[in-house]
Amino acid sequence: MDHKSNITYITLDGFTAYILIICSNSTIVCLIWIHKNLHEPMYIFIAALLLNSVLFSTAIYPKLLIDFLSEKQLISYPACLCQFVMYYTFLASEFLLLSAMAYDRYVSICKPLQYPNIMTKSTVSILVVLAWILPACQAAVPALLSTNEKLCNFTLTVFVCNNELYKLLCVRSKVLHVYGVMGLINSALLPVLFILFTYTKILIITYHSSRDVRKKAVQTCLPHLLVLVSISVLTSYDIIINRVQSDLPKTARLIMTLQLLLYHPLFNPIIYGLKMKEIYKPLQKLFCRLTIH
């Protein structure tokens, strides 16, 4: 009875978390869409980032919750490959979108006179599209290469179809291993280095500027850095969990996975909703209207 109660509690908790993720991220995306004063590059990138969180959660949560309710966790190999592609596409997209936001902040703060000419609508559109297309193409390659590979193992020790998928293959391809390392460098390491380099340049330039400029730089850059730390933790967990064989019980591993996949998609709207004044004000008005009605 206690075991069934625990399952019900965790499932309801996960379902509630998923609904919160959808509602919180979608609310801010809609506010950015509705308010014309938020139709600026920085807020468009934020909207794309929050939409990415919704897509990421939708690719993971429903199947995860269904698995937990089922006595046997089953998924077809093609479906697992599909989840693999979506998982790494949206994970890598976040790093690229954060890189685009870092570049946007660099141009805005360090080259304010050139900003309108550099960050045009077409430039922003291209950056957003590339942030989704490039990771999708990169994640699709190993999935396609693994499609016709022979399987010798049919049990995954994780709850999400990630790199653990390679352990099902009879022969672990060196090509897939090298490609995976290169993919990690391209989609995570290089963007993180670019972001850190960009914000370091901003810090150096604003250090010699007025107090107001420094304050503005901190207000706009701090939320992006907090989100970067959050997504880096999630990526580190994904790498570590595939390198270290855990002896934790199945339920404990599921709870850890749920918590890690829960915090980041909920963290983004909280950070941008509370820390960015331009988003916080219309959000506050919306809640006031809902409270009155």
Side-chain angles (χ1 to χ4, degrees), residues 214-232:
R214 289 198 298 270
K215 187 179 178 180
K216 181 184 176 183
V218 171
Q219 286 176 345
T220 56
C221 295
L222 184 60
H224 306 325
L225 288 173
L226 291 174
V227 172
L228 176 64
V229 171
S230 177
I231 189 64
S232 297

Side-chain angles (χ1 to χ4, degrees), residues 85-237:
V85 172
M86 290 190 292
Y87 179 78
Y88 285 110
T89 293
F90 299 131
L91 202 61
S93 293
E94 187 127 1
F95 283 104
L96 293 182
L97 286 169
L98 286 170
S99 298
M101 293 161 81
Y103 177 69
D104 172 71
R105 290 300 84 205
Y106 170 75
V107 177
S108 175
I109 294 169
C110 303
K111 299 180 179 181
L113 297 178
Q114 300 175 39
Y115 184 78
N117 296 324
I118 296 174
M119 298 305 294
T120 61
K121 287 184 179 180
S122 58
T123 301
V124 173
S125 300
I126 290 169
L127 290 174
V128 170
V129 171
L130 288 177
W132 275 314
I133 289 179
L134 292 179
C137 294
Q138 184 171 281
V141 171
L144 290 172
L145 291 175
S146 303
T147 302
N148 298 318
E149 291 289 330
K150 187 178 179 181
L151 304 179
C152 287
N153 185 14
F154 298 92
T155 305
L156 286 170
T157 58
V158 292
F159 295 95
V160 178
C161 293
N162 52 18
N163 283 326
E164 186 81 8
L165 194 67
Y166 296 146
K167 295 180 181 180
L168 303 180
L169 305 179
C170 294
V171 180
R172 296 187 186 180
S173 171
K174 289 183 179 179
V175 174
L176 285 175
H177 177 73
V178 172
Y179 186 86
V181 173
M182 293 302 296
L184 178 65
I185 293 171
N186 290 334
S187 60
L189 184 59
L190 290 179
V192 168
L193 291 175
F194 174 78
I195 292 166
L196 294 177
F197 171 77
T198 304
Y199 284 127
T200 301
K201 290 275 289 182
I202 292 172
L203 182 65
I204 293 170
I205 291 172
T206 54
Y207 179 77
H208 300 288
S209 302
S210 66
R211 185 178 177 180
D212 290 337
V213 173
R214 289 198 298 270
K215 187 179 178 180
K216 181 184 176 183
V218 171
Q219 286 176 345
T220 56
C221 295
L222 184 60
H224 306 325
L225 288 173
L226 291 174
V227 172
L228 176 64
V229 171
S230 177
I231 189 64
S232 297
V233 169
L234 178 59
T235 306
S236 299
Y237 169 78

Side-chain angles (χ1 to χ4, degrees), residues 29-93:
V29 171
C30 289
L31 285 175
I32 293 172
W33 179 273
I34 293 167
H35 292 82
K36 291 184 178 180
N37 64 308
L38 297 178
H39 292 182
E40 296 178 10
M42 181 174 68
Y43 301 110
I44 292 171
F45 288 133
I46 289 173
L49 192 72
L50 298 181
L51 180 60
N52 192 73
S53 293
V54 172
L55 296 172
F56 176 79
S57 299
T58 303
I60 304 301
Y61 262 90
K63 182 65 175 73
L64 199 63
L65 296 176
I66 291 169
D67 283 346
F68 197 65
L69 284 172
S70 308
E71 291 184 9
K72 292 183 178 180
Q73 290 74 45
L74 301 173
I75 185 171
S76 66
Y77 187 56
C80 197
L81 287 173
C82 184
Q83 190 183 67
F84 172 92
V85 172
M86 290 190 292
Y87 179 78
Y88 285 110
T89 293
F90 299 131
L91 202 61
S93 293

